Amino acid sequence: MSEKNDGANRDATKRSARERLQEERERQKTRDKRRRTLVVSAAVVGVLGLAAVVGLIAANAGSGSKDAKAGPVVAPSGATGKDALAIETGKAGAPSRLTIWEDFRCPACKSFETNYKDTIHELEAKGLLTTEYHIVTLIDGNMGGTGSLKSANAAACAQDAGKFAAYHDVLFENQPTETDDAYGKNAKLLELAGKVDGLDTPAFRSCVEDGTHNSWVAKSYDAFKAGNFRGTPTVLLDGKDIFADQSDPLTPQKLKAKVEAKAAGGGADTGTGKASPSPSASGSKNGSGATSKSSSSGRSASSSASAPAAGSRAVSGG
């Protein structure tokens, strides 16, 4: 009897082991199925996540210039030069040509305009000088904000209205501090338009608010970078950088004498080669012999009667 019982017990034990093994196999299958489901789900999530990241990078890659480069390039009325990127003042075809690359947010540009403006206007009025302005957005790239872009667009809108020269001067006369992006607000630009007789019109307001010339401004800045100029202002007299020689920069008085001499057939050396880069901002001497003091952004704070050349705003990727 005991042998039968022992045999029955062994059979039961064998069946129990087989059942446990089968149960374990079923559990393993369930685990494998769940794992495969999780792997597939994770892969899908990973692909979607990667797409989201790529999309975010793509969205942010051009965020700094999105406003500037959106839409077609619309040059302001009467724009001249290669790709119509220059705005001219003074008599067309005058004996001398002054080419200026500047930014309405740039303090060194304001210093240049303050010191040279009267001389430039006098020479233009005499028919001796044509001034060619190229407006760029260097400070927006270096300091952030949109004031360089929006003020440049507003100046182009003023050109459409035949009021560029007057509005150009008003923008520099009322320039905010470099860190204050006041010109990034259309309301400020429209307020300043009120200082120019006949400029504040519905057409001008629409041009400013719509950013009509934003893409044109962006193209002008591309041309500035392609020219390998070191900073703003970059000022060329008949193709020659007037601040290239820091030991003898072209002061307003020297500029006047040079232009008048050329008009009189004096054979002044105006140069025709490619302009050398603008000098850096590191305590060099200005035309009056005074040493310029550099601001925290690397720009000269000089306001001497000579050039702000030593304080030119250096290009730094913006």
Side-chain angles (χ1 to χ4, degrees), residues 8 16 28 30 35 98 118 123-124 127 134 143-144 153 157 165 170 174 227 230 259 264 277 284 302 318:
S16 178
Q28 185 62 42
T30 300
R35 186 180 299 110
L98 196 67
D118 291 344
L123 293 170
E124 288 179 337
H134 296 262
M143 302 294 292
N153 172 68
C157 295
V170 165
N174 293 273
R230 187 177 298 177
V259 170
S284 56
S302 171

Side-chain angles (χ1 to χ4, degrees), residues 174-190:
N174 293 273
Q175 184 189 79
T177 59
E178 186 179 14
T179 55
D180 179 4
D181 192 31
Y183 284 175
K185 300 178 178 63
N186 289 334
K188 181 63 176 178
L189 298 170
L190 295 173

